[in-house]
Amino acid sequence: MKNSLQFILILFVVILSGFKDGTTSKVTSLTSANEAADVVTSDFSVAVKWELDGFKMPESVYASPNHKWLYVSNTNGAEPGFISRVSKDGVIDNLNWVTGLTAPTGSDIYKNTLYVADQKQVHLINLDNGNITKSYTANEAGSLNDLTINQKTGQVFISDVPGGKIYTIENDKLVVWLQSDKIPFPNGVLVEGNTLVVANYGLKNGEGLLRKEWKPKDFGALYNIDITSKKVELITSSDKKGVFDGVTSINGTLLASSNPTGQLFTFTDSESYLIDTSIKGLADINSDGTTIYAPYFYDNKLVAFTPVPWDRITTKEEYILKGADNYYGDAGGESIATSDGIIMGNFGGQELSGTWDWQGEYFCRTSTLGTMDLGSDCIQIDVTPTKMRLILNKGTGMSVVYDKKKDPQITILSSFKIKPEKIDFFKKKMLANQDVVRKEKGTLEMKLYQDQNTPGNFIVFGIKESKKTLQSHTKAVDKRGIADQVESALVEAPKTLFLTNKKPLPTYNFSKTDVNNNEVILFSIFNVKEEYKEEFIAQLTKHTELTRAEEGNIRFDFYSTKDNEFVLQEHWKNKEAGAFHRKQEYAQETNSIMKKAVIDGTQQVFFVNEIEN
């Protein structure tokens, strides 16, 4: 099931333009229930406590303050499902603790027995030995999903998402407890006192559960059902906020996950708060009162989150200190609002640009995406050390949460064609500029190359440690007027490529500047047909690893641009090393793939000499 990707992209753009069997390290010291209670009101953020992979399509996790283990239900695709037992500090105690299941999902514990929903069955599992002691079957059910138990009475509630029903166990068999038109796709269930909270996945609107996409008008809601009277009441603050999967509570605060959008929400009767946005597949969450546990169905992992407070930004000075000059976003794109009032970024291959200022307590922006005018808005800003939340219309509109991004290295390749009579002049100017750039903060590499076969062709190749240092570099170059100084030497305007290293080598010595004329250096630039792109990248990834292992290789990198343009950078000790490389079986395999993958007429090969003072 998919949510509307277009909706998510637009939401991302509108707001941002307003501007693995092991654990990760702990990022918070909040570990006690008392400390968590201090953070958890109705609105808070989350920080990753640990992350654990190795599961097989995990759909649900059991957690409780009264039990030391977590139990993860692995649906495992077409293969038999199983349950894993995991410690609360993120270690798998037994990956296959219970096996022989079909596709287990929601679970709960009552009197030393784990109850687990498993398609058309509910299994009772002895916690002491992991043995199934009893099973109940409902052949008429579509697919039983989540399960919760009233700890005072022992009554069990099980949701049937495609069947639109909620089951219970009566007289030693599974029976329908409730079916309501208001809840066509009941998913997550949770007992709170004498109330059953039900997360409705979405609305039918003339379509079934397995539709191509879920549009905002189809989003679901949470409902309170009085267990005695079976009266169904909408939690109005949750209406059409997400495509809801799991529902739980932490210190009295209701929490729900939206599976296709990867969002976490908290709800009161009158208010809703978006507390986190991660990735698609956020399934049936749970909590032990201190930590929130989230299985990610498609990424085969379990993540533990600790509640952390939001820091509301109310002044320009605060924003510059805590939010400006950092990239925020997700896989769909990212943007930055600089401390001097500039907005820039990229979404869906389109350039984002704009300006911002501060008015009262709000970040106010005007921006464009490509040729589209995004208009203006004033936005409430909340931050943590790792996230930013933006709420449109001065905190009354839509909200999104984005991760602070690590500022990536930027690789630049610029090619120049120079008039024959101006070659020496151009080299002198560019070498002088090279000396200055190498001393700039954030410069990892800066080199000038001259084509051996066509002396008027030059390549300037550089790597900056981040986008921010590239921006500073660009301003410095403009201030020195380098472009104006060499303009008279140009045959045509230079071409500049911004490259992504597809397999970076962190240990490469960027400072190497000595020149050995026996060495062979070349750049290949070409475009790849879309239908061969995936195969080509896979082969070049393998090719790169094997090439770097050759004794005669000094450097081998391959880069890409957003337009399916690729660059190969090769550096060999001598001609013999290059000839040996070309005879290798994997190199010949790469050559065969390139013959069919490279677009005719696009390939340029430059054998170059490195130029130094």
Side-chain angles (χ1 to χ4, degrees):
M1 292 171 284
K2 296 182 179 178
N3 187 27
S4 170
L5 295 178
Q6 182 179 9
F7 170 76
I8 296 302
L9 177 60
I10 291 173
L11 179 63
F12 186 101
V13 168
V14 167
I15 295 183
L16 254 294
S17 66
F19 321 21
K20 255 188 169 227
D21 195 5
T23 65
T24 58
S25 58
K26 301 289 192 298
V27 295
T28 175
S29 60
L30 292 176
T31 55
S32 74
N34 289 336
E35 288 174 311
D38 290 339
V39 171
V40 180
T41 53
S42 297
D43 184 21
F44 55 91
S45 181
V46 292
V48 175
K49 186 176 182 181
W50 52 257
E51 184 174 314
L52 184 62
D53 60 13
F55 302 100
K56 298 293 184 181
M57 297 185 178
E59 199 281 334
S60 180
V61 57
Y62 169 83
S64 169
N66 303 316
H67 195 76
K68 70 174 184 177
W69 296 110
L70 307 173
Y71 297 99
V72 180
S73 296
N74 298 260
T75 58
N76 200 20
E79 300 298 318
F82 58 94
I83 295 173
S84 304
R85 189 167 69 180
V86 179
S87 68
K88 290 187 177 181
D89 58 358
V91 177
I92 295 177
D93 174 70
N94 189 337
L95 181 65
N96 298 286
W97 181 64
V98 177
T99 59
L101 306 178
T102 304
T105 49
S107 63
D108 201 352
I109 287 177
Y110 186 70
K111 292 185 177 180
N112 203 46
T113 298
L114 181 70
Y115 289 65
V116 181
D118 186 17
Q119 288 201 341
K120 295 180 183 295
Q121 293 184 298
V122 172
H123 304 295
L124 279 59
I125 299 169
N126 187 311
L127 290 177
D128 294 331
N129 53 30
N131 292 333
I132 298 175
T133 60
K134 190 170 187 175
S135 296
Y136 296 95
T137 302
N139 290 320
E140 74 281 6
S143 182
L144 301 177
N145 188 274
D146 199 14
L147 184 151
T148 186
I149 301 175
N150 187 329
Q151 295 298 316
K152 290 184 179 180
T153 66
Q155 185 173 10
V156 181
F157 300 93
I158 314 102
S159 64
D160 176 6
V161 184
K165 303 178 181 72
I166 297 171
Y167 283 77
T168 191
I169 299 174
E170 286 183 1
N171 299 320
D172 211 33
K173 62 181 180 180
L174 284 170
V175 297
V176 176
W177 181 75
L178 179 85
Q179 184 172 13
S180 170
D181 291 340
K182 296 179 181 179
I183 312 174
F185 301 120
N187 199 329
V189 288
L190 173 71
V191 172
E192 292 275 85
N194 195 50
T195 298
L196 178 67
V197 183
V198 179
N200 184 44
Y201 197 76
L203 301 178
K204 287 186 176 181
N205 288 336
E207 297 187 65
L209 185 63
L210 298 177
R211 64 193 68 180
K212 185 176 180 180
E213 65 180 18
W214 287 84
K215 300 175 182 178
K217 66 182 180 66
D218 302 328
F219 283 9
L222 304 186
Y223 290 84
N224 285 329
I225 303 175
D226 185 276
I227 293 176
T228 303
S229 67
K230 298 186 181 180
K231 182 180 179 181
V232 178
E233 290 187 349
L234 171 70
I235 299 177
T236 55
S237 62
S238 70
D239 195 24
K240 291 185 174 62
K241 286 296 191 298
V243 185
F244 291 120
D245 193 317
V247 60
T248 188
S249 66
I250 180 168
N251 293 316
T253 295
L254 198 61
L255 183 71
S257 58
S258 176
N259 187 314
T261 63
Q263 294 170 308
L264 279 175
F265 293 90
T266 58
F267 298 102
T268 67
D269 290 339
S270 59
E271 299 290 339
S272 67
Y273 302 95
L274 176 64
I275 65 169
D276 191 46
T277 301
S278 52
I279 56 175
K280 177 182 176 181
L282 175 59
D284 190 3
I285 57 174
N286 215 321
S287 169
D288 62 4
T290 299
T291 303
I292 300 162
Y293 302 96
Y296 285 85
F297 187 84
Y298 299 111
D299 279 42
N300 296 315
K301 66 182 181 180
L302 179 68
V303 180
F305 293 106
T306 300
V308 295
W310 286 113
D311 183 1
R312 169 78 189 278
I313 304 299
T314 58
T315 68
K316 184 175 183 178
E317 291 74 21
E318 277 188 290
Y319 181 75
I320 289 175
L321 179 65
K322 299 176 181 179
D325 300 318
N326 293 302
Y327 281 87
Y328 290 89
D330 63 11
E334 59 184 32
S335 75
I336 184 173
T338 65
S339 54
D340 56 357
I342 302 300
I343 296 170
M344 63 186 74
N346 190 281
F347 301 93
Q350 298 187 71
E351 182 180 358
L352 171 72
S353 61
T355 58
W356 71 271
D357 201 350
W358 202 267
Q359 297 179 21
E361 296 184 355
Y362 303 101
F363 173 98
C364 299
R365 57 79 181 150
T366 301
S367 54
T368 59
L369 179 69
T371 59
M372 180 170 58
D373 184 0
L374 298 176
S376 302
D377 192 18
C378 290
I379 301 167
Q380 176 181 319
I381 302 290
D382 304 312
V383 298
T384 73
T386 60
K387 297 179 184 293
M388 177 179 285
R389 181 171 65 180
L390 306 96
I391 309 178
L392 291 177
N393 195 24
K394 295 185 176 180
T396 65
M398 293 188 301
S399 61
V400 291
V401 177
Y402 293 109
D403 294 321
K404 181 185 286 187
K405 296 292 187 178
K406 180 180 179 182
D407 205 352
Q409 290 182 2
I410 303 297
T411 302
I412 312 104
L413 185 151
S414 297
S415 56
F416 297 82
K417 291 185 177 181
I418 305 302
K419 300 172 184 177
E421 68 275 15
K422 293 285 189 175
I423 290 176
D424 289 340
F425 167 80
F426 179 79
K427 284 199 292 187
K428 181 179 179 181
K429 289 292 183 181
M430 296 308 291
L431 287 172
N433 179 64
Q434 178 173 273
D435 290 341
V436 175
V437 173
R438 283 176 175 172
K439 296 175 183 177
E440 289 177 354
K441 180 181 179 181
T443 297
L444 301 179
E445 183 173 9
M446 179 66 179
K447 290 180 180 177
L448 176 66
Y449 297 98
Q450 185 176 18
D451 194 322
Q452 295 177 358
N453 300 315
T454 308
N457 289 347
F458 289 82
I459 288 176
V460 174
F461 182 86
I463 302 178
K464 303 295 288 187
E465 70 177 5
S466 67
K467 291 182 180 179
K468 284 188 284 188
T469 56
L470 174 62
Q471 292 157 12
S472 299
H473 162 74
T474 301
K475 291 179 181 179
V477 169
D478 290 343
K479 187 175 182 179
R480 293 198 301 273
I482 302 302
D484 292 336
Q485 294 176 33
V486 301
E487 184 177 9
S488 64
L490 302 179
V491 174
E492 61 187 30
K495 180 181 179 181
T496 297
L497 300 177
F498 292 90
L499 307 175
T500 299
N501 193 327
K502 304 300 289 185
K503 193 161 182 63
L505 186 65
T507 57
Y508 182 76
N509 181 12
F510 291 118
S511 64
K512 181 181 182 295
T513 58
D514 56 306
V515 176
N516 184 334
N517 290 328
N518 290 323
E519 296 174 355
V520 178
I521 305 173
L522 66 145
F523 290 87
S524 300
I525 305 173
F526 51 88
N527 290 81
V528 170
K529 300 172 185 175
E530 181 64 36
E531 62 267 30
Y532 292 110
K533 182 178 177 181
E534 185 175 341
E535 179 185 5
F536 174 76
I537 291 176
Q539 175 63 24
L540 258 292
T541 301
K542 180 178 75 172
H543 181 104
T544 300
E545 292 178 348
L546 295 171
T547 300
R548 288 172 176 171
E550 291 183 27
E551 184 179 352
N553 180 255
I554 296 175
R555 181 175 188 174
F556 189 95
D557 283 302
F558 83 103
Y559 309 88
S560 70
T561 72
K562 62 186 179 183
D563 299 317
N564 282 357
E565 194 165 14
F566 288 82
V567 175
L568 302 185
Q569 181 183 21
E570 302 181 46
H571 192 167
W572 302 93
K573 290 181 179 179
N574 47 50
K575 292 181 180 179
E576 291 75 20
F580 173 83
H581 164 74
R582 290 189 293 275
K583 293 178 181 178
Q584 303 309 302
E585 183 177 349
Y586 72 87
Q588 294 177 9
E589 182 181 351
T590 300
N591 187 55
S592 297
I593 293 176
M594 288 187 66
K595 285 181 179 179
K596 64 181 181 181
V598 174
I599 297 176
D600 293 341
T602 64
Q603 187 167 12
Q604 304 173 74
V605 180
F606 302 93
F607 284 87
V608 298
N609 293 323
E610 186 176 341
I611 308 300
E612 292 285 344
N613 280 320

